[in-house]
Amino acid sequence: MTPISLTCPVLTGGAVPAIPTMSHTITVTRRERHLSAKQRWALEILAAAGLRGCTGATLLAHGFSVDMLADLVHDGLATAHRQTMRIGRRKIQIARMRITDAGRRAIEG
């Protein structure tokens, strides 16, 4: 790698040196996901739920932890959206989760 020497614009009368370009190729490999049995099961439930997805309460009732569900969202395997529902005269907030394409690929492979 070529060493880069930068000078302070104040010392050079305001002149800024040209920014060198990199000629190296950066290769990004797809990270291999290792799903636990619980993560796989949660994704399979979301996949079976179709476009409507599942509520967070339904997934919690199956025994999944909030942290594990949040990890699925953070890793891009699922999405979570808040939704307001009316039950009688009351409005409640729920979280609806859906599987992503990446989540589908993760349970296929």
Side-chain angles (χ1 to χ4, degrees):
M1 189 162 162
T2 309
I4 301 170
S5 67
L6 298 175
T7 57
C8 176
V10 174
L11 298 175
T12 59
V16 179
I19 299 171
T21 59
M22 289 180 57
S23 62
H24 305 288
T25 303
I26 298 172
T27 304
V28 178
T29 56
R30 199 171 115 190
R31 191 179 104 200
E32 194 67 32
R33 288 192 172 96
H34 298 287
L35 297 175
S36 70
K38 277 212 160 207
Q39 288 172 319
R40 180 174 294 280
W41 184 30
L43 289 174
E44 287 171 354
I45 289 172
L46 291 174
L51 295 175
R52 288 201 53 182
C54 286
T55 63
T58 301
L59 294 168
L60 292 174
H62 277 87
F64 302 118
S65 71
V66 173
D67 287 339
M68 193 270 297
L69 296 173
D71 287 343
L72 292 177
V73 172
H74 177 72
D75 291 343
L77 301 174
T79 61
H81 299 282
R82 274 190 298 190
Q83 183 177 355
T84 303
M85 290 187 71
R86 182 180 295 270
I87 299 182
R89 293 183 174 164
R90 297 178 63 195
K91 289 183 180 180
I92 62 168
Q93 292 280 327
I94 64 165
R96 186 165 296 278
M97 293 189 69
R98 292 179 184 91
I99 191 168
T100 63
D101 289 339
R104 289 184 198 284
R105 286 191 301 271
I107 59 175
E108 286 173 0

